[in-house]
Amino acid sequence: MTNPTAGSALTRPDGTPVRVLVVDDEQMLTDLLSMALRMEGWDVRAAASGYEALEGVKEFEPDALVLDIMMPDLDGMAVLQRLRQQQNQVPVLFLTAKDAVSDRVAGLTAGGDDYVTKPFSLEEVVARLRALMRRSGTALAAEPEPILRVGDLSLNEDSHEVIRDGDEIELTATEFELLRFLMRNPRRVVSKAQILDRVWNYDFGGRSSVVELYISYLRKKLDAGREPLIHTVRGVGYMIKAPQ
């Protein structure tokens, strides 16, 4: 498994590794996330319940918290409420299968900082945690923000800003991950199977048709009225390259 974000290294202000507590009652999920975060060089611990999470925050003093909302004992909202009552302002990334707008609003109103729904990309979780910790000042980057470029298109892996020829382009989380994967492999043909594995890499049982659909979404946003960047290699896959 390769490093999912391979960007600038993050550390605490004193130079030690940042600390992240992952809270979810699905062990397979916490194992996957913990492995991905450790590959960033971070210090990671896991908890399987709300009460374990509160104890873990107390002992571990994490710089960020990945917090599942639906748990059997004390749910994520209650955990966050208790932390905020204790004046603990640790950045919180909510993780949940719920995708209704009302659930997002409730989580952010309760004091959460960001929200990712399952199934998700490990790269997205890592990127969002990096952004949370940098914004909160709990972590520092050793290098400038990582920016990918292909022709007049740029993608900032930390801020999630995508700009083409001076125009900012709004992308969904999945569109962003697909574009990032293409831009990390410029002038290289990537297959639908490779895209499915990297962009929908957690518990996804979909077919290759979803790749075609999201490629079409990207083309409408990136290439409409401009020289095309995304190209189809019939029978093989897709490639991004700057116009000649």
Side-chain angles (χ1 to χ4, degrees):
M1 184 175 179
T2 57
N3 188 323
T5 54
S8 53
L10 285 186
T11 64
R12 289 183 140 195
D14 63 3
T16 58
V18 295
R19 298 176 185 174
V20 179
L21 180 64
V22 179
V23 187
D24 198 296
D25 59 341
E26 297 178 52
Q27 186 173 347
M28 184 181 77
L29 182 56
T30 56
D31 287 348
L32 275 172
L33 279 170
S34 296
M35 179 171 60
L37 301 183
R38 287 189 181 106
M39 291 179 70
E40 293 290 311
W42 301 349
D43 192 357
V44 183
R45 289 192 188 177
S49 72
Y51 289 112
E52 280 187 31
L54 291 172
E55 193 63 29
V57 169
K58 190 176 180 181
E59 295 178 358
F60 188 46
E61 297 184 352
D63 300 298
L65 196 61
V66 179
L67 184 60
D68 187 33
I69 288 184
M70 299 297 291
M71 287 184 290
D73 59 349
L74 193 65
D75 68 27
M77 295 289 193
V79 170
L80 180 62
Q81 185 179 35
R82 293 194 184 193
L83 290 175
R84 296 302 187 242
Q85 287 173 347
Q86 297 166 7
Q87 305 303 312
N88 188 321
Q89 300 301 318
V90 59
V92 172
L93 175 68
F94 273 128
L95 200 62
T96 178
K98 291 186 176 181
D99 58 0
V101 172
S102 59
D103 293 318
R104 288 196 188 94
V105 172
L108 298 178
T109 303
D113 300 279
D114 206 346
Y115 196 107
V116 175
T117 56
K118 304 172 186 177
F120 55 80
S121 160
L122 292 174
E123 291 189 349
E124 179 186 1
V125 173
V126 173
R128 286 175 181 269
L129 280 173
R130 289 168 60 87
L132 280 183
M133 288 188 285
R134 291 181 65 159
R135 286 202 304 268
S136 68
T138 60
L140 304 174
E143 301 169 12
E145 291 184 338
I147 296 179
L148 303 176
R149 300 184 192 279
V150 174
D152 59 358
L153 176 69
S154 67
L155 178 150
N156 187 309
E157 294 188 281
D158 278 354
S159 69
H160 279 216
E161 290 178 307
V162 176
I163 297 173
R164 183 164 188 196
D165 193 25
D167 296 328
E168 186 167 354
I169 298 169
E170 295 291 333
L171 299 180
T172 66
T174 301
E175 291 166 352
F176 181 87
E177 293 305 324
L178 174 55
L179 180 60
R180 170 156 55 182
F181 182 53
L182 292 173
M183 292 182 72
R184 283 187 173 172
N185 297 277
R187 304 187 65 84
R188 174 187 167 197
V189 180
V190 291
S191 69
K192 292 178 183 177
Q194 288 174 311
I195 292 173
L196 281 172
D197 181 59
R198 290 308 304 258
V199 179
W200 288 271
N201 60 357
Y202 169 70
D203 194 24
F204 182 77
R207 296 169 298 186
S208 60
S209 59
V210 74
V211 177
E212 298 170 13
L213 181 64
Y214 274 86
I215 287 288
S216 72
Y217 291 161
L218 276 184
R219 281 177 165 149
K220 287 176 185 176
K221 293 185 177 183
L222 297 177
D223 291 346
R226 302 181 176 99
E227 285 286 321
L229 292 172
I230 300 173
H231 303 268
T232 300
V233 180
R234 196 168 298 279
V236 183
Y238 302 95
M239 173 175 61
I240 191 167
K241 64 177 181 178
Q244 296 298 320

